């Protein structure tokens, strides 16, 4: 007795039906599905696939490492060019922090207190750079899905991706400033 009007996504509609229905109705829906043609077709397809397993071809990279690096580097440069605000904010924050630290610890001295101050600056800069690198976490999270899909399709290898990201993201935005 449930009719899908075609307005909503069928999966969302079915979840709404299951959530809003009584437990007895949900059990009836499950039983109807277990005897439906859909599950019979799935069982036939699974049996056929189990009877005739297809070997998975080994992953291979058609392009050489140089070509992979060139393509990945161009993509990373294009992404950096599309987000100039990220680069400018990163450089301005690093420049501002460098000026602040330089002005505070300009005349630290050569005694024990000065050495302790310089050691404190090193810990502070390590903390600052660590927190600045947190800005790349959302980007890495989004890129992870793309990386997995392209690596599984043998578009490029893990080493080429790592070298390109190191050269065009980590090095200019995290290490050099």
């Amino acid at each position: 007795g449930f009719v899908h009007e075609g307005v909503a996504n069928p999966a969302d509609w079915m979840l709404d039906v299951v959530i809003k229905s009584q437990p007895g109705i949900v059990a009836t829906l499950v039983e109807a599905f277990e005897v439906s043609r859909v599950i019979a077709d799935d069982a036939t397809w699974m049996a056929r696939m189990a009877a005739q397993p297809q070997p998975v071809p080994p992953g291979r990279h058609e392009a050489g490492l140089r070509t992979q690096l060139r393509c990945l580097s161009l993509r990373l440069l294009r992404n950096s060019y599309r987000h100039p605000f990220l680069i400018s904010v990163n450089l301005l924050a690093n420049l501002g922090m460098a000026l602040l630290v330089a002005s505070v610890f300009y005349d630290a001295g050569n005694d024990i207190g000065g050495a302790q101050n310089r050691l404190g600056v090193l810990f502070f800069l390590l903390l600052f750079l660590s927190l600045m690198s947190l800005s790349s976490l959302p980007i890495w999270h989004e890129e992870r899905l793309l990386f997995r899909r392209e690596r599984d399709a043998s578009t490029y290898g893990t080493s080429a991706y790592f070298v390109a990201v190191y050269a065009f993201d980590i090095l200019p935005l995290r290490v050099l400033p």
Side-chain angles (χ1 to χ4, degrees), residues 1 16 19 48 51 54 57 66 69-70 77 82-83 86 98 140 147 150 156 158:
D16 286 341
I19 289 171
R48 187 175 21 160
Q54 300 292 323
R66 177 180 281 169
L69 283 173
R70 183 172 48 87
L77 281 174
R82 290 177 184 159
H83 300 101
L86 172 69
W140 281 81
F147 166 70
E150 291 179 347
Y156 49 78
T158 305

Side-chain angles (χ1 to χ4, degrees), residues 26-41 43:
V26 174
T28 306
L29 288 172
V30 170
E31 290 171 6
F33 178 73
E34 288 175 347
V35 296
S36 70
R37 186 176 56 94
V38 173
I39 203 159
D41 290 345

